[in-house]
Amino acid sequence: MSVILIALACAPALRARPISHSTKYVNPFIGTDAHGHTFPGASLPFGMVQLSPDTRVAGWDACAGYHYSDTTLLGFSHTHLSGTGVADYGDILVTPSVRIRQNSALRFRHESEHAEPGYYQVYLPGENINAELTATERVGVHRYTFPRTDTATITFDLHHGLGPDSVIASEMQIVGDHELQGFRRSSGWAKDQLVYFYAQFSRPFSRFVSLIDDSLTGNDPLIHGKNIRMSLRFPPARKPGIIVKVGLSSVGYDGARNNIAAEAPGWNFDLVKKHAEKIWERELGKIEVPAGPKNRLVTFYTALYHALLTPNIESDADGRYRGMDQRIHTADHFTMYTVFSLWDTFRAEHPLCTILEPDRDADFVKSLLAKYDESGVLPVWELASNETWTMIGYHAVPVITDAFMKGIRGFDPEKAFNAMNHSAMMDHYGLDFYRKFGYVPGDLEGESVSKTLEYAYDDWCIAQMALALGRTADYEYYLLRAQSYRNVFDPATGFMRAKENGCWVTPFDPKSVTVHYTEANAWQYSFFVPHDISNLISDMGGAAQFCARLDSLFSSPSVLSGRQQADITGLIGQYAQGNEPSHHVAYLYDYAGEPWKTRDILRIIMDSLYTPFPNGLCGNDDCGQMSAWYVFGALGFYQVCPGKPEYAIGCPRFPKMIVHPENGKALVIETRSSGDTPRYIRRAMFNGRTMTKSFLTHTQITEGGRLTFVLGNSPSETWGTNPGDYPSAAIPQRIVPVPYFTAPGASFADSTAVSLLSPVPGPEVYYTTDSSTPSPSSILYQHPVMIHATTTFRAIAVDADGRRSGVAQATFSKSAQRKKITLLTRFSDQYTGGGNDALIDGLRGGLDFRLGPWQGYEQVDLDAIVDLEKIDTLTSVSLGCLQDVNSWIF
């Protein structure tokens, strides 16, 4: 049998890091086609400025302003979001032309377009203008080469923005004949965003034209309004090039001007471009890949490039920034950052930064805590000092916990714990129900299953922080909450499943995308228990059945039902690489004793769903998360549970890789092949000592050491095959899951039978019907309960050791009228309202279309017959309908 050796060599600090030439492998156009939502323009790592062309302003694929399918552009704006699923930014549009233009687009061809880290260039044939862009952290630098003309014009447009972005107020003012300043205050995804700019020109302009609401106002040097532009005309010169420097600031004109003085004081465009290239070489060189197939190198280094774009610097060069409270603050001994897409980036983007950028990651944590001080709550999805409340969970918590558990310091851990505790104790987005019932009921809150699972994981992170700080009572409290996932796990189906009125939601189809899951279905979310994998394996029937269920996930037909969700892409079976809830799943085989299956599926994902072309991302990059996932995949390990400083081993994708942490200790991953191309790990050694587990610790990665993998053509029968070998123990004291109810429906005509059941064998169920809290002294459930009037049940499950579940509650209502309905139109499976009798059951829906009582009809007329079953006089007939403007209901 032939073997391969993969070695992670000790990284002697004595060896100087070689000069990196990795920028030549970066293709910024990857992700600009299909649904990647990336931009190709110039930015520095985590920079405030993202200077890039805008080809469109509306539509989902315009989230980053540029789409590869377009052939015209509107100009070059200075702020862009990378890979998000919602559009915003596109601030301060600059457009060169040989005439004063009235919002007309400029033609371009990809053959005359070029991009590399920190630089973008395009030739505009209709204007005969060559446009070049580069950037410092806070300054965008343009160079426009005009033909010989006396009408060279540069227009600044403050009405332009991406997405549903409307201008609240804006201003521009001429400052001499070399400078222009202005501000743009807008409301979009960020409800109140303020950007100041200061622009300087390499040569004077001879005249200018001001426009308000597309009407010429003449030579007005100061203009205000919601739709303003200013066109500057430059006289002929011996050198046709014009350099424009645009400094940004959220503070004021002085901040923008000072950022130029600090970062771009001269007029040498090529020098700024060269500086940007050096910075990118330094950052990308933190992972060195000496050789490999070119296409794979391009895919890898572009992924690393995208992972290093976000979050973005928010504070000026002097440390000042505009906070969440809209006041001016100064970052004290740290850099303030913005754009925290935490639901996405806690999974891989931030863990990657703890390895490559630990000092910067400390600043990320300080930024989150500063935003807590300014707003009173840790960020959920923060953008430009605005809380957007996008997505679910309170995922600043795992970012902070993971940093602390990996030894990253510089912030107050007690303050961090208090901020985490505050997020977990709020009464919004179903958290009050989550605390009361032990799960989020689907009839009281949308996305109920996903919220329950992600709240439980976040609570586990808080428990780890409490344990590290010696807060024993808090640790025990949050460790119990961390098991809330058991309250939505249905052992009968093996899936995480929604409950309404204490009953499992029916009908149930695990491949259906419904309002109970966040951009996913039951297949994709049922494996999200990263903090308690051993117990999840046990709940699913043991390691063999768990692996079989994973096999079914990847081999099932790639057909979704229910709601059409554009975010769910990159399907392999029911696994969706294009969206974040699936990102850890391929590594779960490591925890169940079949690690070779992790290697198999990772190769499929990485080779088929990541390519070196504009459409090379199978979903939104989501501020670097998709790309960070690939970086980890190529390195050969992945952190399944941020907060646990351990990594599941996957499959390295290059003959040799060297990781250079900031501490100077390198980690070398080296493969030596003999004969065939074996892919399975037969043996592993770390510093010469045999490893039996398919896991690495964070310390091993950051402190260096020699890790050697011996690969063969077939899986090992011993290496990594013991499910009990993975490092972290399961949660020891398990909760008793809450009981559930079954009944024909939530309402009935004369009488109905109600059953009360424990989802796991063993516990007994006790209940009350008088609104009192049930206890072991209450009625013991033994058989279905027949009721003849509206009745509210409260129930608990008690196991043999006397441990009690949370309280389950359900109300079954007697309908005041005898009638029946025949539906001649089929309702949507997304919104059943409880079944065929939903329209006559007397249960009314509220203002949230996602919740249980509503029955949904899409693009069809509702045709139904209501039979009163007797002769009667009608005084009125009513039908309740809900119109929710701008909601994505179906």
Side-chain angles (χ1 to χ4, degrees):
M1 177 185 66
S2 61
V3 298
I4 267 186
L5 273 182
I6 302 181
L8 264 165
C10 289
L14 299 175
R15 185 174 69 87
R17 194 198 309 179
I19 297 175
S20 169
H21 298 289
S22 49
T23 55
K24 68 182 180 181
Y25 294 115
V26 174
N27 178 5
F29 292 108
I30 293 178
T32 60
D33 203 355
H35 307 306
H37 295 186
T38 62
F39 62 85
S43 183
L44 290 193
F46 309 99
M48 177 187 291
V49 166
Q50 308 86 35
L51 180 53
S52 188
D54 291 343
T55 62
R56 58 173 85 170
V57 297
W60 189 55
D61 280 327
C63 288
Y66 179 99
H67 199 266
Y68 198 79
S69 63
D70 294 332
T71 57
T72 61
L73 60 84
L74 305 170
F76 310 98
S77 63
H78 288 75
T79 59
H80 292 85
L81 296 172
S82 181
T84 59
V86 181
D88 205 329
Y89 278 13
D91 299 290
I92 324 300
L93 184 76
V94 176
T95 306
S97 62
V98 293
R99 65 186 68 85
I100 296 177
R101 306 184 65 88
Q102 295 289 331
N103 294 325
S104 56
L106 305 172
R107 291 185 294 106
F108 75 101
R109 299 176 63 188
H110 293 305
E111 293 82 355
S112 301
E113 188 182 29
H114 172 75
E116 61 190 61
Y119 176 74
Y120 172 87
Q121 173 272 327
V122 65
Y123 174 67
L124 306 172
E127 305 291 312
N128 192 18
I129 295 172
N130 190 53
E132 298 173 274
L133 314 174
T134 188
T136 68
E137 287 182 332
R138 300 170 178 87
V139 182
V141 183
H142 313 234
R143 179 164 66 185
Y144 299 119
T145 303
F146 287 88
R148 293 193 175 276
T149 177
D150 59 358
T151 59
T153 302
I154 296 177
T155 299
F156 280 67
D157 183 346
L158 299 193
H159 184 257
H160 174 91
L162 301 178
D165 180 75
S166 60
V167 178
I168 299 172
S170 61
E171 171 186 284
M172 272 193 285
Q173 182 178 13
I174 297 293
V175 183
D177 60 359
H178 282 76
E179 295 169 313
L180 174 70
Q181 66 182 20
F183 77 83
R184 183 178 191 269
R185 185 179 181 187
S186 61
S187 180
W189 191 14
K191 296 303 181 185
D192 191 356
Q193 180 200 0
L194 186 57
V195 179
Y196 289 89
F197 78 90
Y198 203 91
Q200 297 177 340
F201 305 90
S202 59
R203 54 188 176 96
F205 45 88
S206 57
R207 59 186 292 258
F208 58 88
V209 175
S210 306
L211 298 96
I212 301 177
D213 296 329
D214 292 328
S215 298
L216 297 178
T217 64
N219 293 338
D220 189 344
L222 176 62
I223 55 175
H224 308 268
K226 296 183 179 182
N227 181 3
I228 64 173
R229 287 180 290 139
M230 191 167 282
S231 295
L232 312 176
R233 180 157 291 176
F234 294 80
R238 191 173 64 168
K239 294 184 177 181
I242 300 174
I243 296 174
V244 186
K245 298 184 296 186
V246 181
L248 300 187
S249 171
S250 66
V251 173
Y253 295 135
D254 60 334
R257 183 174 58 249
N258 292 341
N259 287 339
I260 295 177
E263 297 181 358
W267 292 102
N268 191 326
F269 180 92
D270 294 322
L271 188 63
V272 177
K273 175 179 177 292
K274 187 66 176 178
H275 179 67
E277 181 182 355
K278 287 182 178 179
I279 290 176
W280 274 113
E281 288 287 4
R282 182 191 68 199
E283 292 296 312
L284 296 170
K286 290 181 178 179
I287 301 180
E288 182 186 347
V289 186
K294 183 177 179 181
N295 279 354
R296 193 175 297 169
L297 284 167
V298 170
T299 302
F300 173 78
Y301 274 114
T302 305
L304 182 57
Y305 165 80
H306 280 140
L308 298 177
L309 286 174
T310 314
N312 301 125
I313 291 170
E314 187 171 29
S315 51
D316 289 344
D318 62 6
R320 294 184 301 157
Y321 67 94
R322 185 175 300 274
M324 302 283 283
D325 54 5
Q326 295 301 309
R327 296 179 179 178
I328 305 304
H329 302 266
T330 300
D332 186 17
H333 302 296
F334 75 100
T335 300
M336 173 59 78
Y337 287 85
T338 184
V339 188
F340 285 97
S341 179
L342 296 168
W343 182 82
D344 306 290
T345 57
F346 85 84
R347 305 167 197 264
E349 167 72 15
H350 282 282
L352 183 63
C353 288
T354 64
I355 297 172
L356 302 182
E357 307 276 347
D359 292 341
R360 202 185 301 266
D361 195 70
D363 281 0
F364 294 160
V365 173
K366 294 175 189 176
S367 297
L368 295 172
L369 294 177
K371 293 175 190 299
Y372 168 74
D373 287 338
E374 296 156 11
S375 69
V377 62
L378 281 173
V380 173
W381 211 123
E382 181 273 342
L383 172 62
S385 287
N386 286 255
E387 179 53 74
T388 68
W389 298 112
T390 303
M391 308 311 295
I392 63 173
Y394 27 97
H395 293 316
V397 167
V399 172
I400 298 170
T401 299
D402 195 46
F404 190 76
M405 300 304 289
K406 291 174 178 175
I408 293 174
R409 296 295 185 266
F411 58 92
D412 182 348
E414 292 289 344
K415 174 182 176 180
F417 178 84
N418 291 335
M420 295 175 177
N421 182 67
H422 175 266
S423 288
M425 291 298 182
M426 297 184 74
D427 289 336
H428 63 176
Y429 300 112
L431 262 173
D432 46 350
F433 306 128
Y434 170 80
R435 292 196 302 272
K436 179 179 180 180
F437 298 112
Y439 67 97
V440 180
D443 51 338
L444 300 178
E445 181 75 18
E447 302 169 88
S448 60
V449 176
S450 298
K451 286 177 180 175
T452 299
L453 296 173
E454 300 210 18
Y455 289 156
Y457 163 66
D458 288 341
D459 287 344
W460 177 88
C461 291
I462 300 176
Q464 303 315 298
M465 196 75 176
L467 182 63
L469 297 176
R471 292 173 169 261
T472 303
D474 291 318
Y475 168 71
E476 293 175 349
Y477 170 72
Y478 279 106
L479 203 62
L480 289 175
R481 279 180 47 164
Q483 299 178 66
S484 298
Y485 71 88
R486 298 200 81 197
N487 293 325
V488 294
F489 178 70
D490 175 19
T493 62
F495 289 98
M496 301 292 175
R497 189 172 170 188
K499 291 178 180 176
E500 292 179 352
N501 194 41
C503 306
W504 296 117
V505 170
T506 55
F508 174 69
D509 176 3
K511 65 180 180 296
S512 182
V513 180
T514 74
V515 296
H516 301 298
Y517 304 91
T518 302
E519 298 180 359
N521 60 20
W523 266 117
Q524 292 143 21
Y525 250 109
S526 291
F527 296 98
F528 187 77
V529 188
H531 57 290
D532 199 16
I533 296 172
S534 283
N535 281 328
L536 178 66
I537 291 172
S538 177
D539 284 345
M540 288 189 171
Q545 288 194 33
F546 183 79
C547 288
R549 182 163 286 273
L550 286 173
D551 293 345
S552 296
L553 169 74
F554 290 109
S555 61
S556 293
S558 298
V559 178
L560 304 176
S561 59
R563 173 176 175 170
Q564 297 300 310
Q565 188 91 39
D567 299 89
I568 305 175
T569 54
L571 288 172
I572 300 175
Q574 286 292 308
Y575 173 90
Q577 176 63 26
N579 212 22
E580 280 64 29
S582 291
H583 275 188
H584 68 294
V585 174
Y587 292 88
L588 293 181
Y589 287 112
D590 279 8
Y591 296 78
E594 298 185 8
W596 63 90
K597 291 183 178 178
T598 286
R599 328 275 181 259
D600 284 341
I601 196 65
L602 287 177
R603 287 177 182 271
I604 294 172
I605 296 170
M606 297 176 69
D607 291 347
S608 65
L609 298 179
Y610 291 83
T611 65
F613 307 109
N615 63 353
L617 291 177
C618 65
N620 305 157
D621 199 42
D622 286 317
C623 295
Q625 167 60 27
M626 282 277 291
S627 291
W629 185 96
Y630 184 88
V631 172
F632 272 122
L635 287 171
F637 50 84
Y638 186 84
Q639 189 175 11
V640 167
C641 180
K644 288 182 183 179
E646 67 191 37
Y647 302 79
I649 290 175
C651 55
R653 300 299 288 134
F654 290 96
K656 184 176 182 180
M657 301 183 74
I658 308 169
V659 182
H660 297 279
E662 290 181 352
N663 61 10
K665 300 176 181 180
L667 182 71
V668 181
I669 309 171
E670 187 176 55
T671 65
R672 299 190 187 107
S673 177
S674 60
D676 299 342
T677 56
R679 57 201 288 182
Y680 299 111
I681 297 174
R682 302 290 301 179
R683 287 189 298 125
M685 292 83 70
F686 187 79
N687 286 342
R689 302 178 66 176
T690 298
M691 295 175 60
T692 61
K693 304 174 183 179
S694 186
F695 298 90
L696 294 171
T697 67
H698 187 72
T699 299
Q700 286 174 311
I701 291 170
T702 57
E703 290 298 315
R706 182 174 293 276
L707 176 67
T708 304
F709 294 112
V710 180
L711 302 188
N713 291 326
S714 61
S716 169
E717 297 178 358
T718 57
W719 187 83
T721 58
N722 181 1
D725 275 347
Y726 80 88
S728 296
I731 295 176
Q733 188 71 14
R734 306 207 73 190
I735 66 168
V736 178
V738 298
Y740 65 95
F741 303 87
T742 65
S747 68
F748 58 94
D750 295 317
S751 63
T752 193
V754 178
S755 299
L756 295 79
L757 305 170
S758 169
V760 296
E764 295 181 322
V765 176
Y766 297 86
Y767 71 94
T768 65
T769 57
D770 60 1
S771 299
S772 62
T773 301
S775 72
S777 300
S778 302
I779 305 170
L780 173 65
Y781 175 80
Q782 294 178 307
H783 50 72
V785 180
M786 188 67 66
I787 59 174
H788 302 274
T790 296
T791 304
T792 296
F793 288 85
R794 306 187 78 204
I796 61 169
V798 182
D799 70 4
D801 296 324
R803 296 181 303 143
R804 306 181 187 185
S805 73
V807 178
Q809 181 172 309
T811 298
F812 300 93
S813 302
K814 184 170 184 177
S815 178
Q817 300 180 27
R818 288 179 55 83
K819 50 186 175 289
K820 65 180 181 181
I821 187 169
T822 301
L823 295 175
L824 303 179
T825 306
R826 173 66 182 172
F827 52 80
S828 167
D829 288 338
Q830 298 179 62
Y831 310 101
T832 67
N836 289 331
D837 293 335
L839 299 183
I840 58 170
D841 62 9
L843 304 178
R844 307 293 292 183
L847 295 180
D848 190 338
F849 68 87
R850 300 173 298 176
L851 304 186
W854 287 107
Q855 193 169 80
Y857 296 86
E858 181 185 17
Q859 297 182 348
V860 294
D861 294 332
L862 169 58
D863 191 356
I865 299 171
V866 178
D867 186 353
L868 301 182
E869 299 187 314
K870 63 178 181 178
I871 302 297
D872 206 346
T873 300
L874 292 181
T875 58
S876 66
V877 176
S878 65
L879 176 71
C881 299
L882 174 66
Q883 176 179 341
D884 195 344
V885 178
N886 290 331
S887 287
W888 190 359
I889 292 179
F890 287 97

